[in-house]
Amino acid sequence: MKICVTSSGPNMDAYVDPRFGRCQYFVFVDPETMEYEAMPNTGIEASGGAGIQAAQTIADKGVDVVITGQVGPNAIQTLGATNISIVTGASGTVSDAIEQYKSGRLQAAPPATGAPAPGMPATGMPGAGMGRGMGRGGGRGGGRGMGGGIGRGMGRGMGMGLGTPVAPAPTVPIMPAQTIDEEIQALESRMIDVKAKLEELKK
């Protein structure tokens, strides 16, 4: 059996690096003999895909278990395809992490999830979104943007969720009749002045 621990240094006394794709070193350990081999992470400066590159690196080393802090969904999928177990929550040194794993104090990372469902934001919280209903005339969107209807046609419904509340329309004060009359007179007087100015300019 071979365990890979993401590490901040090239030996067993170095602390566990919580980053997977951008850790400083990979330390490969035989948990029975505690013999180890350290390898610098060449993908630490990668502009993108560091997690996938790291997963491929340790897969090529014949690793059975990875002990680290955080693993992104793409790296989890890559590791899962090679049947490498992912364990998170380790602390202390690399040697401590191996002992924590052997004593069953570390937990396996949850499997990667797919893309958010229609009408669902990336956080997984319910929100407003477009739902697609199945029906001849129009499906109705449910609370999570999922439409529901009857028939073979495609309908569209608005998903209703915890969106931003709509502010009520401002109320317009009702002016007394006397004030309205005064306003009308003022406007008419102004119109007379404007017409007079126009006649002046035409001359």
Side-chain angles (χ1 to χ4, degrees):
M1 182 180 188
K2 185 181 287 187
I3 298 175
C4 174
V5 183
T6 55
S7 171
S8 59
N11 52 58
M12 298 288 286
D13 294 326
Y15 283 97
V16 174
D17 193 328
R19 303 166 299 175
F20 174 69
R22 299 190 185 278
C23 65
Q24 296 289 327
Y25 288 88
F26 299 114
V27 179
F28 304 98
V29 184
D30 183 331
E32 299 299 326
T33 64
M34 295 302 283
E35 293 181 355
Y36 71 92
E37 173 192 358
M39 174 189 292
N41 179 11
T42 57
I44 191 171
E45 300 296 338
S47 58
I52 296 176
Q53 185 174 334
Q56 292 170 342
T57 299
I58 64 175
D60 292 341
K61 297 290 288 185
V63 169
D64 300 294
V65 178
V66 175
I67 299 177
T68 186
Q70 298 176 350
V71 184
N74 292 334
I76 289 178
Q77 289 178 353
T78 304
L79 291 170
T82 58
N83 295 321
I84 296 176
S85 299
I86 306 163
V87 178
T88 57
S91 60
T93 65
V94 174
S95 180
D96 293 336
I98 297 295
E99 292 302 322
Q100 290 165 16
Y101 173 74
K102 290 167 69 173
S103 63
R105 285 179 285 163
L106 300 180
Q107 296 181 348
T113 56
M120 293 288 291
T123 56
M125 295 296 292
M130 290 297 296
R132 292 177 179 273
M134 299 295 293
R136 289 192 176 89
R140 292 185 177 179
R144 294 178 179 266
M146 299 299 293
I150 300 173
R152 296 182 179 178
M154 292 298 294
R156 291 177 181 269
M158 286 298 296
M160 299 299 295
L162 303 178
T164 305
V166 179
T171 56
V172 179
I174 300 174
M175 299 176 65
Q178 183 178 358
T179 307
I180 294 174
D181 291 338
E182 291 174 356
E183 186 70 19
I184 292 172
Q185 289 175 6
L187 289 172
E188 287 177 345
S189 175
R190 228 180 266 172
M191 285 293 295
I192 293 170
D193 292 341
V194 171
K195 286 181 181 178
K197 186 67 177 175
L198 286 172
E199 291 299 327
E200 231 179 88
L201 291 171
K202 287 179 183 178
K203 291 179 183 179

